[in-house]
Amino acid sequence: MAVGMSGPRAARAGVADAAGGLGLDPDDLPDGLVVADAAGRIICFNAAAVRITAVPESAALGRPVEQVLPMEDLKGRRWWELTDPYGGLATRTGQPERNLLLPGGREVLVSARYVRETPAGPVRRLVVSLRGTEARRRTERSNAELIATVAHELRSPLTSVKGFTATLLAKWERFTDDQKRLMLETVYADANRVTRLITELLDISRIDSGRLELRRQPVDLSAAVERHVQAHTAAGQDPGRFLVRTLQPLPAVWADPDKVDQVLGNLLENAVRHGEGTVTIDVAPAPAKSDERGAAVTVSDEGPGIPEESMSRVFTRFWRGSKRGGTGLGLYIVKGIVEAHGGTITVGRGPGGGAEFRFMLPVSTPAYLA
């Protein structure tokens, strides 16, 4: 402890010294830290706490914690009167995180820990953590947008399915076989659209929670690209619109073939639907992280491309270009799949002026084969 210090500043220095054993200063913490002594007076008020509460450190140290932080819950009740850390039940060990209001109505996330000498002894130290609500609000807004998007995307196909099935059930004998087939094909297509949306939602949930499962096996990227090109030409696209270039020899990439198909399908569909001219697909060896070999696939078109100011948002949720339809979730999922494999994906402007997407997958050979 520094010579000449006394009172709360000396106590704060003691807190910093205790943390110093870990090479940590309270001001280095990203969250607000408020520590009060056995008498309820503040002995530590770090820089993040100053930023969150707008209370200077000099105005906080040495004062009762309930005076420096006169917080209320969302019903207007004083938090300190409700929790009573020093005079409440001796079995309490703290308070879980909850939304509270600072003076002026600013929301803050607050949790507390009661430090006791013995399990049922008096509180020796009160440790309060403060966090801003900005990140939580961004998450809530994102979830609200997701719900609104899903509701909108589901309404149209489900209305169609319900309408056509109701019509067929009520007036089956009045329609010709061709009319029945047309309506059933429409129902089938809309049911597939709902299935794709549900699959996207499940993928997003797994990506966000880090639970995306990969069933790795050797994948021939060149053959996978050829399959997707053939599927587009079988669906009516001009074969001359596609140019596939493969630089051999390609390393054997261990990846989830279904997930790789999902990535390729999304990128090629975007190029065909939203791009123009020739769609060029380059497959080539590529360096990966830690000197491990990998393979890269580049998909480019000759359309108008993606505006420079939108490049940084392409892989975010709900991004849509000026002419894009759909949910705006496809490229977000593509990025999550590629990164789950340990790879990278980038977007830029291709040689023909259109959009160019390039993803790289490392070899990821299993340890027992290395």
Short mmCIF file of all heavy atoms in Angstrom, two decimals, residues 24-34 44-53 97 108-111 127-135:
data_model
loop_
_atom_site.label_atom_id
_atom_site.label_comp_id
_atom_site.label_asym_id
_atom_site.label_seq_id
_atom_site.Cartn_x
_atom_site.Cartn_y
_atom_site.Cartn_z
N LEU A 24 -4.02 -7.61 -12.34
CA LEU A 24 -5.26 -6.96 -12.75
C LEU A 24 -5.52 -5.73 -11.90
O LEU A 24 -5.40 -5.78 -10.66
CB LEU A 24 -6.43 -7.94 -12.61
CG LEU A 24 -7.82 -7.43 -12.95
CD1 LEU A 24 -7.92 -7.15 -14.44
CD2 LEU A 24 -8.88 -8.44 -12.53
N ASP A 25 -5.84 -4.64 -12.56
CA ASP A 25 -6.25 -3.42 -11.87
C ASP A 25 -7.75 -3.26 -12.05
O ASP A 25 -8.28 -3.56 -13.13
CB ASP A 25 -5.52 -2.21 -12.47
CG ASP A 25 -5.82 -0.94 -11.70
OD1 ASP A 25 -6.84 -0.30 -12.01
OD2 ASP A 25 -5.05 -0.60 -10.78
N PRO A 26 -8.48 -2.81 -11.01
CA PRO A 26 -9.94 -2.64 -11.16
C PRO A 26 -10.33 -1.79 -12.37
O PRO A 26 -11.38 -2.02 -12.98
CB PRO A 26 -10.35 -1.97 -9.84
CG PRO A 26 -9.32 -2.43 -8.85
CD PRO A 26 -8.04 -2.53 -9.63
N ASP A 27 -9.51 -0.82 -12.71
CA ASP A 27 -9.83 0.03 -13.86
C ASP A 27 -9.68 -0.71 -15.19
O ASP A 27 -10.13 -0.20 -16.23
CB ASP A 27 -8.93 1.27 -13.86
CG ASP A 27 -9.32 2.26 -12.77
OD1 ASP A 27 -10.47 2.15 -12.27
OD2 ASP A 27 -8.50 3.11 -12.42
N ASP A 28 -9.07 -1.89 -15.18
CA ASP A 28 -8.95 -2.67 -16.41
C ASP A 28 -10.21 -3.46 -16.71
O ASP A 28 -10.36 -3.99 -17.81
CB ASP A 28 -7.77 -3.65 -16.30
CG ASP A 28 -6.42 -2.94 -16.23
OD1 ASP A 28 -6.34 -1.80 -16.73
OD2 ASP A 28 -5.47 -3.53 -15.68
N LEU A 29 -11.11 -3.58 -15.74
CA LEU A 29 -12.32 -4.38 -15.93
C LEU A 29 -13.28 -3.68 -16.88
O LEU A 29 -13.46 -2.47 -16.81
CB LEU A 29 -13.01 -4.63 -14.59
CG LEU A 29 -12.22 -5.43 -13.55
CD1 LEU A 29 -12.95 -5.44 -12.22
CD2 LEU A 29 -11.99 -6.84 -14.05
N PRO A 30 -13.94 -4.45 -17.77
CA PRO A 30 -14.89 -3.83 -18.70
C PRO A 30 -16.20 -3.43 -18.04
O PRO A 30 -16.92 -2.57 -18.54
CB PRO A 30 -15.13 -4.93 -19.74
CG PRO A 30 -14.86 -6.20 -19.00
CD PRO A 30 -13.78 -5.89 -18.03
N ASP A 31 -16.54 -4.07 -16.89
CA ASP A 31 -17.77 -3.75 -16.18
C ASP A 31 -17.48 -2.87 -14.98
O ASP A 31 -16.35 -2.83 -14.46
CB ASP A 31 -18.46 -5.04 -15.69
CG ASP A 31 -18.91 -5.92 -16.83
OD1 ASP A 31 -19.14 -5.37 -17.93
OD2 ASP A 31 -19.05 -7.14 -16.63
N GLY A 32 -18.51 -2.16 -14.54
CA GLY A 32 -18.35 -1.32 -13.35
C GLY A 32 -18.17 -2.17 -12.11
O GLY A 32 -18.88 -3.16 -11.91
N LEU A 33 -17.22 -1.80 -11.27
CA LEU A 33 -16.96 -2.50 -10.01
C LEU A 33 -17.05 -1.52 -8.86
O LEU A 33 -16.35 -0.51 -8.82
CB LEU A 33 -15.56 -3.15 -10.03
CG LEU A 33 -15.13 -3.82 -8.72
CD1 LEU A 33 -16.00 -5.04 -8.44
CD2 LEU A 33 -13.66 -4.22 -8.77
N VAL A 34 -17.94 -1.83 -7.92
CA VAL A 34 -18.11 -1.02 -6.72
C VAL A 34 -17.94 -1.94 -5.53
O VAL A 34 -18.64 -2.96 -5.41
CB VAL A 34 -19.50 -0.35 -6.68
CG1 VAL A 34 -19.63 0.51 -5.42
CG2 VAL A 34 -19.73 0.49 -7.93
N CYS A 44 -13.86 1.10 -3.34
CA CYS A 44 -13.38 0.94 -4.72
C CYS A 44 -14.51 1.34 -5.67
O CYS A 44 -15.64 0.89 -5.52
CB CYS A 44 -12.95 -0.50 -4.99
SG CYS A 44 -12.39 -0.79 -6.69
N PHE A 45 -14.18 2.20 -6.64
CA PHE A 45 -15.15 2.69 -7.62
C PHE A 45 -14.36 2.85 -8.92
O PHE A 45 -13.71 3.86 -9.15
CB PHE A 45 -15.73 4.03 -7.16
CG PHE A 45 -17.06 4.38 -7.76
CD1 PHE A 45 -18.23 3.80 -7.31
CD2 PHE A 45 -17.14 5.30 -8.80
CE1 PHE A 45 -19.47 4.13 -7.85
CE2 PHE A 45 -18.36 5.64 -9.35
CZ PHE A 45 -19.52 5.05 -8.87
N ASN A 46 -14.38 1.79 -9.76
CA ASN A 46 -13.45 1.78 -10.89
C ASN A 46 -13.91 2.70 -12.03
O ASN A 46 -14.98 3.30 -11.99
CB ASN A 46 -13.20 0.35 -11.38
CG ASN A 46 -14.39 -0.24 -12.14
OD1 ASN A 46 -15.49 0.29 -12.10
ND2 ASN A 46 -14.15 -1.35 -12.83
N ALA A 47 -13.07 2.77 -13.06
CA ALA A 47 -13.32 3.70 -14.17
C ALA A 47 -14.62 3.37 -14.90
O ALA A 47 -15.35 4.27 -15.33
CB ALA A 47 -12.14 3.68 -15.14
N ALA A 48 -14.93 2.07 -15.07
CA ALA A 48 -16.17 1.70 -15.75
C ALA A 48 -17.38 2.12 -14.93
O ALA A 48 -18.40 2.54 -15.49
CB ALA A 48 -16.20 0.19 -16.00
N ALA A 49 -17.29 2.04 -13.61
CA ALA A 49 -18.39 2.50 -12.76
C ALA A 49 -18.60 4.00 -12.90
O ALA A 49 -19.74 4.49 -12.92
CB ALA A 49 -18.12 2.13 -11.31
N VAL A 50 -17.50 4.74 -13.01
CA VAL A 50 -17.60 6.19 -13.23
C VAL A 50 -18.30 6.47 -14.55
O VAL A 50 -19.19 7.33 -14.65
CB VAL A 50 -16.19 6.82 -13.22
CG1 VAL A 50 -16.26 8.29 -13.64
CG2 VAL A 50 -15.56 6.69 -11.84
N ARG A 51 -17.92 5.72 -15.60
CA ARG A 51 -18.53 5.94 -16.92
C ARG A 51 -20.02 5.59 -16.92
O ARG A 51 -20.83 6.32 -17.49
CB ARG A 51 -17.78 5.08 -17.95
CG ARG A 51 -18.41 5.07 -19.32
CD ARG A 51 -17.58 4.25 -20.30
NE ARG A 51 -17.30 2.91 -19.81
CZ ARG A 51 -18.16 1.90 -19.88
NH1 ARG A 51 -19.36 2.08 -20.41
NH2 ARG A 51 -17.82 0.70 -19.42
N ILE A 52 -20.38 4.48 -16.28
CA ILE A 52 -21.77 4.03 -16.30
C ILE A 52 -22.68 4.92 -15.47
O ILE A 52 -23.80 5.24 -15.87
CB ILE A 52 -21.85 2.56 -15.83
CG1 ILE A 52 -21.17 1.64 -16.86
CG2 ILE A 52 -23.31 2.12 -15.62
CD1 ILE A 52 -21.00 0.21 -16.37
N THR A 53 -22.20 5.34 -14.30
CA THR A 53 -23.05 6.10 -13.37
C THR A 53 -22.91 7.61 -13.51
O THR A 53 -23.76 8.35 -13.01
CB THR A 53 -22.71 5.73 -11.92
OG1 THR A 53 -21.35 6.13 -11.64
CG2 THR A 53 -22.87 4.24 -11.70
N GLU A 97 -28.39 -10.81 -11.18
CA GLU A 97 -28.43 -9.63 -12.06
C GLU A 97 -29.87 -9.26 -12.39
O GLU A 97 -30.71 -10.11 -12.67
CB GLU A 97 -27.67 -9.93 -13.34
CG GLU A 97 -27.53 -8.73 -14.27
CD GLU A 97 -26.69 -9.04 -15.48
OE1 GLU A 97 -27.21 -9.68 -16.41
OE2 GLU A 97 -25.51 -8.64 -15.50
N VAL A 108 -29.51 0.11 -15.93
CA VAL A 108 -28.22 -0.53 -15.74
C VAL A 108 -28.47 -1.93 -15.19
O VAL A 108 -29.46 -2.17 -14.48
CB VAL A 108 -27.34 0.30 -14.77
CG1 VAL A 108 -27.94 0.37 -13.39
CG2 VAL A 108 -25.92 -0.25 -14.72
N LEU A 109 -27.62 -2.88 -15.56
CA LEU A 109 -27.71 -4.25 -15.08
C LEU A 109 -26.83 -4.38 -13.84
O LEU A 109 -25.63 -4.10 -13.90
CB LEU A 109 -27.27 -5.24 -16.15
CG LEU A 109 -28.11 -5.25 -17.42
CD1 LEU A 109 -27.45 -6.11 -18.49
CD2 LEU A 109 -29.51 -5.76 -17.14
N VAL A 110 -27.42 -4.80 -12.72
CA VAL A 110 -26.74 -4.80 -11.44
C VAL A 110 -26.79 -6.19 -10.81
O VAL A 110 -27.84 -6.84 -10.79
CB VAL A 110 -27.39 -3.78 -10.47
CG1 VAL A 110 -26.63 -3.76 -9.14
CG2 VAL A 110 -27.41 -2.40 -11.09
N SER A 111 -25.67 -6.65 -10.30
CA SER A 111 -25.62 -7.86 -9.50
C SER A 111 -24.71 -7.58 -8.31
O SER A 111 -23.87 -6.68 -8.35
CB SER A 111 -25.10 -9.05 -10.30
OG SER A 111 -23.80 -8.79 -10.82
N VAL A 127 -19.67 -6.44 -2.88
CA VAL A 127 -19.13 -6.26 -4.22
C VAL A 127 -20.30 -6.14 -5.19
O VAL A 127 -21.13 -7.05 -5.29
CB VAL A 127 -18.22 -7.43 -4.64
CG1 VAL A 127 -17.64 -7.19 -6.04
CG2 VAL A 127 -17.10 -7.62 -3.62
N VAL A 128 -20.37 -5.01 -5.90
CA VAL A 128 -21.47 -4.74 -6.83
C VAL A 128 -20.89 -4.62 -8.24
O VAL A 128 -19.90 -3.92 -8.46
CB VAL A 128 -22.21 -3.45 -6.46
CG1 VAL A 128 -23.35 -3.18 -7.45
CG2 VAL A 128 -22.76 -3.54 -5.04
N SER A 129 -21.54 -5.31 -9.17
CA SER A 129 -21.14 -5.24 -10.58
C SER A 129 -22.19 -4.46 -11.36
O SER A 129 -23.40 -4.68 -11.19
CB SER A 129 -21.01 -6.66 -11.16
OG SER A 129 -20.79 -6.61 -12.56
N LEU A 130 -21.73 -3.54 -12.22
CA LEU A 130 -22.61 -2.70 -13.03
C LEU A 130 -22.30 -2.92 -14.51
O LEU A 130 -21.13 -2.92 -14.90
CB LEU A 130 -22.41 -1.21 -12.69
CG LEU A 130 -22.51 -0.81 -11.22
CD1 LEU A 130 -22.14 0.66 -11.07
CD2 LEU A 130 -23.92 -1.05 -10.70
N ARG A 131 -23.35 -3.09 -15.29
CA ARG A 131 -23.16 -3.22 -16.74
C ARG A 131 -24.21 -2.40 -17.46
O ARG A 131 -25.36 -2.32 -17.03
CB ARG A 131 -23.30 -4.68 -17.19
CG ARG A 131 -22.15 -5.56 -16.78
CD ARG A 131 -22.10 -6.83 -17.59
NE ARG A 131 -23.29 -7.65 -17.41
CZ ARG A 131 -23.96 -8.19 -18.41
NH1 ARG A 131 -23.59 -7.97 -19.66
NH2 ARG A 131 -25.01 -8.94 -18.17
N GLY A 132 -23.81 -1.79 -18.58
CA GLY A 132 -24.76 -1.07 -19.41
C GLY A 132 -25.71 -2.03 -20.10
O GLY A 132 -25.43 -3.23 -20.24
N THR A 133 -26.83 -1.53 -20.55
CA THR A 133 -27.85 -2.38 -21.19
C THR A 133 -27.79 -2.32 -22.71
O THR A 133 -28.65 -2.89 -23.37
CB THR A 133 -29.25 -1.96 -20.73
OG1 THR A 133 -29.48 -0.58 -21.09
CG2 THR A 133 -29.41 -2.10 -19.22
N GLU A 134 -26.79 -1.63 -23.28
CA GLU A 134 -26.77 -1.46 -24.73
C GLU A 134 -26.69 -2.79 -25.46
O GLU A 134 -27.42 -3.03 -26.43
CB GLU A 134 -25.59 -0.56 -25.14
CG GLU A 134 -25.70 0.89 -24.68
CD GLU A 134 -25.26 1.07 -23.24
OE1 GLU A 134 -24.82 0.08 -22.62
OE2 GLU A 134 -25.36 2.21 -22.72
N ALA A 135 -25.80 -3.69 -25.01
CA ALA A 135 -25.64 -4.97 -25.70
C ALA A 135 -26.92 -5.79 -25.61
O ALA A 135 -27.34 -6.41 -26.59
CB ALA A 135 -24.47 -5.75 -25.09
#
